[in-house]
Amino acid sequence: MLARRLRGGLARTREVLNTPVGDLLRGRPTLDESALETLEEALLSADLGPHTAQELIDQLRSHSAEVAAGGPAAMRRMLCEQVRDALEQPGAEPQFVTRPWVTFVVGVNGVGKTTTIGKLARSWIGEGRSVMLVAADTFRAAAAEQLEVWAQRAGAGFHRGPEGSDPAAVLTDGLRSARARGCDAVLVDTAGRLHTRGNLMAELAKMSRVAGREVAGAPHETWLVLDATVGSNGLNQAREFARSGGVTGLVLTKLDGTARGGVALAVVRELKVPIRFVGVGEDVEDLVPFDPAEFAEGLFGE
Ligand code: GDP
């Protein structure tokens, strides 16, 4: 079911990649340089990034006899294996080992933070956990309202402060309230105005300190949300968040709206942080736990 959603979400990217993979060997006894060039162009237009594209091409070149003998199926298999390996990152630490388990969700405005939080809340509640959502983006009233709608839909608790109030103070109150209610998990929606207000990173650091005072070890996770439709152009922003420290996982949203799904490889390579979830639509069900092998299959499968 989830694999099918992922497959659907990657359809546009797969189309870009599959055409040359299929065409390449048809009628060609060997993988010649012009064939490899065509594939490399497709890899680049799917946004896998120049390094990864080059590595994949080198690998095919050095196994060209094997690929020619096995045809497109052998080629797909080889590409899938390499992409899977490139996406593997050291295993995530177990979640929910303290209560409440506090996750910050960060990223620039519009990438899908609030939506992702809503989807996560619904999924965790479905697993029997109690969840509280905290609106720590106090600069956009609409963001808090949207989060409240998601909280109601998902059956999660909700905490917000007055508009324009100190996000750290809102967070403190939210965490106290979550503790008092014995919530299993808290998801914190943070402000994402990276370029309009310079000290966002300082504010996030302050929020981390505040969280740690209220709940031991919090934030236990900080997930950076990235919009796949922006492709590798979003890498600069991602780098900035990652540099500020503490990013433990990535969520790549809007894969369904782009042929640039290969950007997953570029971000993992660049940030060396595992992708935890991918967003493949606007519905509450459209968040899929990230699995490197399934993702690779979604890119190059038939
Ligand atoms: P935020 O500003 O980072 O909190 O972003 P929002 O959660 O408000 O999302 C911005 C827009 O992106 C909304 O219209 C969402 O419905 C949409 N969105 C979020 N995730 C996905 C996704 O995985 N696929 C698609 N197609 N749209 C998404």
Side-chain angles (χ1 to χ4, degrees), residues 9-300:
L10 285 172
R12 290 181 57 191
T13 308
R14 189 166 53 250
E15 213 170 287
V16 168
L17 293 172
N18 255 323
T19 309
V21 172
D23 288 350
L24 217 55
L25 288 150
R26 230 166 269 141
R28 285 180 200 265
T30 54
L31 267 186
D32 58 27
E33 282 306 311
S34 84
L36 287 171
E37 231 167 78
T38 310
L39 179 62
E40 189 171 5
E41 275 165 27
L43 295 172
L44 291 173
S45 60
D47 241 347
L48 277 85
H51 298 291
T52 304
Q54 189 61 53
E55 279 169 11
L56 292 178
I57 294 298
D58 289 347
Q59 176 82 358
L60 289 176
R61 188 183 284 121
S62 63
H63 290 81
S64 59
E66 208 178 298
V67 170
M75 183 156 155
R76 278 206 184 89
R77 204 166 43 245
M78 207 171 279
L79 289 167
C80 276
E81 280 168 14
Q82 264 203 282
V83 163
R84 180 200 61 202
D85 292 352
L87 289 170
E88 294 279 6
Q89 288 286 303
E93 301 289 318
Q95 285 181 275
F96 308 114
V97 289
T98 29
R99 184 192 286 173
W101 185 253
V102 180
T103 302
F104 281 10
V105 178
V106 305
V108 296
N109 289 338
V111 291
K113 289 187 298 295
T114 310
T115 309
T116 298
I117 288 173
K119 292 169 175 176
L120 282 170
R122 171 74 163 258
S123 146
W124 291 353
I125 287 166
E127 291 165 6
R129 296 192 176 85
S130 52
V131 180
M132 160 92 77
L133 309 188
V134 175
D137 181 352
T138 57
F139 296 94
R140 288 190 308 162
E145 277 152 28
Q146 197 196 340
L147 192 69
E148 187 166 18
V149 171
W150 275 108
Q152 281 162 358
R153 240 187 255 165
F158 174 73
H159 179 83
R160 71 176 289 184
E163 197 177 343
S165 55
D166 177 14
V170 174
L171 177 62
T172 302
D173 289 346
L175 291 175
R176 285 181 186 164
S177 155
R179 267 195 354 230
R181 294 194 200 188
C183 286
D184 296 314
V186 177
L187 284 159
V188 182
D189 197 8
T190 62
R193 21 165 194 63
L194 187 60
H195 295 302
T196 47
R197 290 173 61 105
N199 56 1
L200 175 60
M201 299 305 156
E203 185 184 293
L204 285 172
K206 178 178 168 195
M207 284 174 56
S208 290
R209 284 196 302 277
V210 161
R213 278 206 292 271
E214 293 304 319
V215 178
H220 305 103
E221 302 258 15
T222 298
W223 289 352
L224 172 62
V225 181
L226 298 169
D227 176 343
T229 63
V230 178
S232 46
N233 294 333
L235 273 173
N236 275 340
Q237 295 168 344
R239 230 173 264 138
E240 196 140 340
F241 274 100
R243 243 203 317 262
S244 75
V247 173
T248 57
L250 305 172
V251 179
L252 193 60
T253 59
K254 310 189 197 179
L255 274 175
D256 54 302
T258 181
R260 298 178 168 274
V263 72
L265 284 124
V267 291
V268 168
R269 182 181 194 108
E270 169 81 29
L271 305 182
K272 310 221 165 12
V273 173
I275 299 176
R276 297 291 174 79
F277 289 92
V278 292
V280 292
E282 296 186 87
D283 289 341
V284 70
E285 313 283 325
D286 292 329
L287 190 73
V288 182
F290 184 75
D291 177 275
E294 278 175 11
F295 194 89
E297 199 47 49
L299 288 183
F300 291 107

